[in-house]
Amino acid sequence: MSKAVAPDWPHQALEYKIGRDKRSRALIWPMRSGKSKACIDKACFQFERGTIEGVIVVAPNGVHLNWCVNEIPRWTWPEVGPHRAFAWETPKRGLVEQDAAFRQMCAHKGLKFFCINMEALKHLDCRRAVKEFIVSCHKNFMLIVSEAHHFGRAGSKRTHFARSLAYHANYVQTETGTPILTGPLRAFSQFELLAPGALGFRTFGEFKKNYAEMEPSRPGGRKYEKVARYINLDELTAKIAKWSSLVLRADLHDMPPLIRTERPVLMTNRCRLAYLEMVSRHMAEIGDDLIAVKDAGPRMIKLQQILHGYIKDPLTDRILEIDPDAAIYDAVIDEIVGTLPGKALVWCRYHEDIRRLMLKLPKNLKFLPYHGHMTARAREINRMQFLTDPTIGGIVGTPDTGGEGLDFSAADAVIYMSIPPNARMIAQSEERATVKGGKSVSVVRIRHYGTVDDRMWEIVDGNMSLADTITGTGLRDLLLKTDC
């Protein structure tokens, strides 16, 4: 059976050749490398063979809408005939229009796609809809898990439900460019989606014991463990290789380079005094004790927010003003202006950062917000306007909302105003402006040296290096040694 639509890139052609008949497959490909097309190619091939009647796509909120609106219509083969795609939207559940559209999709006799945001898997009405869809496919369906790193927590409810779906699916395809950037132990539940015991262990406890040495996080204190060090990582890489297709960014020869730079910022006097006072307060509270993880996070957040001129009370949402003219805003605006006439994509960790920056932007710079306080539809409208409207100068958003699985390729620069200490989120979000064969992209880190910023970036860069030894160049070296 010949392929209806020729692949654009060699790695897609190779995966189509060797992976289209495999029941379970993990694509570990970098961002912007055509993972969704490879998944849809496999679905169309299996539909033509008569092995599936429909596809369930599980993806982060907003990304699932992108699959429905953009990816599926773009890449589904014309030869399979008319297809239907439906995106589940939790705020619209129960509405007559959504129910009617869902049932029309279920009644469709051709290839059909049910796109679900992974957060909705915990809702009973979404689970009922999934079961109804599976029945409409006569239980012959393929499961695609997009951005599979979100299923790295072995004990979460949505992971359990996704594993149940995978168990009953005829074919399972996962895809992510960042499988273990928050730690090698997250590989277990992601590969459990492919098959029970895929990595050689039936329980997470056995897996953790084999690949990590644990220690009490606070000797003599409350009992919980942290990783002392990872072990047997070469063995883990070999087990991952059995199920995986790997593509590195370096393999994509016409992927534009990321030009990374840093922009140092000096705190204003108000911010500096508040920062030193907060450090002194923390030191007095801590004394000679070790800091528990649950206590370290809030302290880092307060210090980071002081750099931006405020502190936000997480319980009351009250803003304590420190300096409305904190130096970081001028630095970000200066980087934006330096990008003109190109567009900029600015990532902020906090909604308050977005609000303040939007207020300070010059009137001639038209920027749009993109964050979790907006509906998925409203965010998609802003994203499309950013891509198509030449009068829009940029997007200011949060990387946890827009930093993965979405196209912001109209941007010429990606600017980090503030970050979470999450390597996966940073690796994903810095690629949002790139497109294969496109222009080079500037990636700018706004940095207050000698502050909590140093620790944030140290965590990110360290996790990226560790992940590369397991699912990056380390996995590539092993695959090259394999005599297939």
Side-chain angles (χ1 to χ4, degrees), residues 332-403:
V332 173
I333 292 172
D334 189 45
E335 291 296 327
I336 290 172
V337 172
T339 305
L340 295 175
K343 298 187 177 189
L345 179 58
V346 182
W347 294 125
C348 304
R349 182 178 184 181
Y350 309 107
H351 295 130
E352 180 65 14
D353 291 349
I354 295 175
R355 187 188 72 81
R356 289 174 172 242
L357 180 59
M358 293 286 287
L359 288 174
K360 288 181 174 294
L361 286 169
K363 300 298 183 184
N364 64 318
L365 294 178
K366 296 181 181 179
F367 271 62
L368 300 173
Y370 196 103
H371 53 74
H373 291 178
M374 305 166 63
T375 66
R377 289 282 178 181
R379 294 197 299 266
E380 181 63 12
I381 289 172
N382 281 3
R383 188 181 72 86
M384 293 306 298
Q385 189 176 359
F386 168 74
L387 291 175
T388 59
D389 188 343
T391 67
I392 301 301
I395 287 275
V396 183
T398 54
D400 60 334
T401 303

Side-chain angles (χ1 to χ4, degrees), residues 3 5-6 14 60 84 142 184 187 202 212 230 325 330 384 456 460 465 467 478 482:
K3 187 174 183 308
V5 181
L14 179 61
R84 284 290 181 93
M142 175 178 173
R202 296 306 300 268
Y230 295 108
D325 297 317
D330 286 339
M384 293 306 298
M456 296 289 187
V460 168
S465 177
L478 183 145
T482 302

Side-chain angles (χ1 to χ4, degrees), residues 57-61 116-122 143-166 173-176 178-179 182 185-193 204 404 424:
V57 180
V58 179
N61 193 22
I116 308 168
N117 59 303
M118 57 184 59
E119 294 84 355
L121 291 177
K122 62 185 178 183
L143 175 65
I144 297 173
V145 181
S146 177
E147 311 298 348
H149 49 265
H150 284 282
F151 292 88
R153 290 182 58 194
S156 72
K157 291 182 178 179
R158 71 183 181 196
T159 297
H160 281 297
F161 189 69
R163 285 170 62 179
S164 176
L165 278 178
Q173 188 98 2
T174 66
E175 56 93 338
T176 176
T178 54
T182 48
L185 296 184
R186 293 181 70 86
F188 174 79
S189 59
Q190 291 179 57
F191 283 82
E192 281 290 294
L193 292 171
F204 177 66
E404 62 183 5
R424 181 263 305 166

Side-chain angles (χ1 to χ4, degrees), residues 75-113:
W75 300 120
T76 300
W77 300 357
E79 284 78 358
V80 303
H83 69 276
R84 284 290 181 93
F86 174 82
W88 179 269
E89 294 183 73
T90 299
K92 294 183 179 181
R93 64 186 188 274
L95 294 181
V96 174
E97 297 84 355
Q98 172 155 282
D99 286 346
F102 172 72
R103 300 197 186 287
Q104 287 176 3
M105 184 265 300
C106 286
H108 182 61
K109 299 303 181 183
L111 180 57
K112 48 198 171 190
F113 295 83

Side-chain angles (χ1 to χ4, degrees), residues 439-483:
K439 61 186 180 302
S440 61
V441 176
S442 296
V443 178
V444 183
R445 298 178 176 184
I446 307 295
R447 293 281 301 270
H448 295 80
Y449 291 110
T451 71
V452 69
D453 276 359
D454 293 345
R455 179 56 181 158
M456 296 289 187
W457 285 110
E458 178 185 334
I459 293 171
V460 168
D461 293 339
N463 283 345
M464 286 182 176
S465 177
L466 175 61
D468 185 59
T469 67
I470 303 171
T471 57
T473 56
L475 179 56
R476 164 50 53 84
D477 291 345
L478 183 145
L479 291 174
L480 289 175
K481 293 176 183 178
T482 302
D483 184 14

Side-chain angles (χ1 to χ4, degrees), residues 58 94 147 149 154 178 181 206 214 228 235 249 282 323 342 355 397 419 426 452 462 466 472:
V58 179
E147 311 298 348
H149 49 265
T178 54
L181 274 177
E206 294 172 332
M214 310 299 291
E235 175 189 305
R249 198 180 198 280
H282 289 340
D323 188 351
R355 187 188 72 81
I419 66 160
I426 301 306
V452 69
L466 175 61

